[in-house]
Amino acid sequence: MPTASILPHAMRHAPVAPVHAALYYADVIGSPLQPRCTPTLQATLRRRGAVVALESSVLAQGLLPPHNREAAERMLAAVRGAGALPAVTAIARGVPVLDLEGEDLERFLRRDGVRKVSARDLALAMAQGADGATTVAGTLALCALGGLEVFATGGIGGVHRDAPFDESADLVELARTPAIVVCAGAKSILDLPATLERLETLGVPVVGYGTDELPGFFSRSTGLRLSARVDAPGELAAVWRAHRALGRPGALLVVQPPPASDAVPVDVVETATQAALRAATAAGVRGAAVTPFLLAEIQQRTDGRSVRANLALLEANAHLAGQVAVALAALDTQDTLAAPSSA
């Protein structure tokens, strides 16, 4: 049996591959492929309303149960509380989705055979009918596909410690995919100075929200100064519109510290991280398994303080992203009202 065509005009009613019977839709705004989404979400995207993308890897590979369920509930509520609509991205049984919910979401929260999917892995997961939880890079790719401009996550990937040749695909995807990405900096297990340098080299603007330095994910301070700071969601929206008006291709990385009440002192995090790195080396942990292993080790070595910080920063980032999405929608409305009539 020949492999089905994957050309855009052939995607409306045909499977992408004979091993998988899911349908792919081709009516998304400005895209050859329609990720699945609810009618409400689709209508909101069409009228350029406030929508925030949320990654699914933090639920399926990051936080362990039951903390991953709490994270999902808090992030979804935070986006809605800001007046925006959440869109959890994933590959669900081979179908790219912006509306992971119901039984699909439950399967991801149970970690029931769910792959960790970066941008490079999306097509394979689709063709094989797999469940794939999207990383930052994978989520950015689906944001571009679905026309989403705002994305909230915990921490981005970056340059790994003691392995300068090993860096996350998140960095390159940030350099080539247009979206506002709200986070608490890069994960503290990484080489943060090198990660910040790579972001500069790749031309990704890094803006501190209410801070003049790069946050340390679990910690509020790293001592790494930033060149730009903003203090209001509307200002971020204006910066983004200017960024896009200049034709810049990549993301705007917005970093805010975790809430002070839940942040972990940087020395506590560093001690736990060094011990976790030694444990990973001794256990021979490599590749995509490194980050989940280290985060679990740090959780143990901080008596759960890192989990509390993680949950708090995920909620805070989702809320800020919702506020930015609302501000962007307001700018779009103003632009529409100010546009001269064609009549």
Side-chain angles (χ1 to χ4, degrees):
M1 181 177 179
T3 302
S5 170
I6 59 170
L7 293 175
H9 68 270
M11 287 187 187
R12 291 181 182 271
H13 307 295
V16 166
V19 297
H20 179 41
L23 299 180
Y24 302 95
Y25 304 93
D27 297 320
V28 76
I29 308 93
S31 171
L33 176 65
Q34 168 70 66
R36 190 192 75 196
C37 62
T38 63
T40 299
L41 178 55
Q42 186 176 55
T44 303
L45 288 170
R46 287 190 181 281
R47 63 177 171 80
R48 298 183 65 81
V51 178
V52 174
L54 301 171
E55 66 160 289
S56 49
S57 183
V58 69
L59 308 178
Q61 287 94 26
L63 289 161
L64 294 170
H67 304 299
N68 59 346
R69 182 179 298 278
E70 182 180 350
E73 292 170 351
R74 289 172 68 169
M75 286 190 293
L76 292 169
V79 172
R80 294 187 179 111
L85 196 63
V88 182
T89 66
I91 303 295
R93 290 179 173 156
V95 179
V97 303
L98 305 178
D99 62 351
L100 190 71
E101 59 183 9
E103 176 50 34
D104 286 334
L105 177 57
E106 289 299 319
R107 203 165 59 251
F108 277 60
L109 292 173
R110 292 194 302 267
R111 301 177 165 220
D112 190 5
V114 181
R115 301 178 184 180
K116 186 176 183 180
V117 175
S118 185
R120 68 173 187 178
D121 309 309
L122 293 170
L124 187 64
M126 288 168 62
Q128 294 180 342
D131 279 333
T134 51
T135 64
V136 169
T139 299
L140 280 168
L142 292 187
C143 283
L145 195 65
L148 281 72
E149 288 190 282
V150 185
F151 164 33
T153 186
I156 63 165
V159 180
H160 286 256
R161 300 190 188 200
D162 302 319
F165 53 86
D166 183 4
E167 65 178 56
S168 171
D170 293 355
L171 297 180
V172 173
E173 203 65 38
L174 285 163
R176 65 187 176 197
T177 304
I180 301 173
V181 180
V182 180
C183 66
K187 294 180 178 67
S188 58
I189 58 176
L190 302 170
D191 185 330
L192 299 185
T195 297
L196 192 57
E197 287 292 338
R198 284 294 289 146
L199 287 165
E200 179 181 354
T201 299
L202 291 168
V204 178
V206 182
V207 178
Y209 187 80
T211 183
D212 295 301
E213 63 180 275
L214 183 73
F217 191 51
F218 299 129
S219 305
R220 292 180 62 83
S221 176
T222 61
L224 297 170
R225 302 291 293 180
L226 298 174
S227 61
R229 169 180 175 154
V230 299
D231 295 288
E235 190 177 357
L236 283 173
V239 171
W240 176 243
R241 284 292 178 253
H243 180 78
R244 296 298 288 150
L246 288 167
R248 302 301 300 159
L252 173 67
L253 189 65
V254 179
V255 297
Q256 73 165 346
S261 58
D262 296 287
V264 185
V266 66
D267 58 331
V268 173
V269 174
E270 185 59 23
T271 299
T273 299
Q274 291 293 345
L277 287 165
R278 291 192 293 271
T281 300
V285 180
R286 296 180 180 176
V290 170
T291 296
F293 179 89
L294 293 177
L295 293 178
E297 284 286 314
I298 292 170
Q299 175 183 339
Q300 274 191 325
R301 296 172 190 277
T302 60
D303 296 322
R305 294 176 70 183
S306 65
V307 172
R308 292 192 292 275
N310 206 342
L311 290 168
L313 67 86
L314 285 167
E315 181 178 22
N317 293 344
H319 184 72
L320 174 57
Q323 292 178 312
V324 174
V326 169
L328 279 174
L331 279 181
D332 287 338
T333 300
Q334 291 171 15
D335 290 345
T336 301
L337 293 174
S341 173
S342 59

